[in-house]
Amino acid sequence: MKTHSGRNVTATLSNDAAATKADGAAMALDPRQLARDLAKFRTPNAVRSWLEFAITFVPFVAIFAALLSAVSAGHYLALLATPLAGLFLLRLFIIQHDCGHGAFFEGRKANDWLGRAIGVLTLTPYDCWRRSHALHHASTGNLDARGFGDVDTLTVREFREKSWLGRFGYRLYRHPIVLLGFGPAYLFMLRHRLPIGLMKAGSIYWISAMATNAVIAVIMIGLILQFGLLATVLVFVPVLLTAASVGVWLFYIQHQFEDAHWDHAKDWTFHDAALLGSSYLELPGALRWFTANIGIHHVHHLASRIPFYRLPHVLKVHPELTEVNRFTTRQTIKPLLLTLWDENRRKLVSFREAARLPA
C-alpha cells in the first residue's frame, strides 16, 4: 500500500478488517495538506496551560514532600507511592517538552522560563534539550541524519559491517534492560550534566547545563539537610527513574515499530516522515492523562506547536488519524525486540530475523 507520494504505509491493528480500514484511511491522507489543516489547533489557552501546570506541579510537590517526611521518619512503606510521584514528574517533563516547542504559551519567554524551571525538577537542561529535540524533529526517519535525540538505529548492512565488538556493543545498547533501565539512569543523571553533542555550539548550552546543575545542587543540599541523605536518595532516585523509564518507553514506541518510516536524504520528506514514522499509542484514560497525550505522536510530529491538551480534539475532527500506526499498550512489547532497519523490505527487524536475511 502506498501513500500519495508512493511511500509504504501500514497501520498496526489486531485483525484483518481493522487493517483494511486503516489502510484505506492512510491512503487518503495527504501529510502536507493535513499539516496545513492542523494549523488552526496551534493557539494555546493561557488559563488552560497554567491550570494544567498547577494540577501537575502541586500534587507532585505534595507527594514528594510526603514521601520525604515519611521515609525520614522510618515509614518505608510510603515508598509504594513512588510510581505515582514518578508519573507526575513525567507529566511535568511533557509540559517542559511543550514549552520547548513554543506550544504551551503564546510568548516565547513564558515558554522558555517555565521550561527552564521544570528542567531543574526533571534534571534536564532546558536549552540543551530544546536544541537536540528540535534536531530530532527535523531529521526523524532520515537515514543520513541520525544521532540527534533519538534511539540509535543501524541498518542490517551497517550492523554486518561492524566488528564483533561493535556488534556486541550495539546488541547491548538495544537490549530492553539497558534501554529502559540503565539507559534512562545514565541519560538523566549523568549525560544531562554536560551539553553533550552541543559542546561547541555556543555558550548558551553550557550556561543551560551549568545553571541547571547549580540549582539542582542547591535543592539537593537543602533536602539532605532537612530530611537526611538516606531519605533523600531513597525518594529522589526511584521517583526520577520511574519518570525516566516510562518516558523512554514512550519515546521508543513512538518511532521504533515494525512498519516505521525511514528514507535516505534523497527520498526523505519531512511531512511523510513526521506522520508515517510516528505512532499513535492508544493508552488507558489515566495513563493518557499522566502522559499528557504524547501518545498522539504522529499528530505532534506533523504539527508540534499544538498544545498537548488540544491533541484529542484533533482526533475528533480527523478520526482517520486514529487508524494510522495505532498501538495499544499490549502491542508495545514486540517492538522492543526490533533492532535493525531492513532497507530492502522497509521494516524494522529483530537480530534473529536479520540473521536469516541473505547477505
Side-chain angles (χ1 to χ4, degrees), residues 29-48:
L29 293 176
D30 179 339
R32 289 180 179 273
Q33 181 58 49
L34 185 58
R36 289 191 286 268
D37 294 341
L38 296 181
K40 63 185 178 183
F41 296 97
R42 297 195 317 180
T43 305
N45 180 306
V47 174
R48 175 70 183 274

Side-chain angles (χ1 to χ4, degrees), residues 156-196:
V156 174
R157 175 185 56 80
E158 290 168 339
F159 179 73
R160 288 173 173 172
E161 290 174 352
K162 282 189 170 293
S163 65
W164 74 267
L165 186 60
R167 292 194 296 272
F168 173 78
Y170 184 74
R171 282 179 176 274
L172 186 63
Y173 168 79
R174 294 289 300 216
H175 195 283
I177 293 177
V178 175
L179 278 173
L180 302 182
F182 297 113
Y186 162 73
L187 179 65
F188 285 89
M189 298 184 73
L190 296 177
R191 185 182 173 93
H192 282 174
R193 308 285 60 80
L194 291 172
I196 303 296

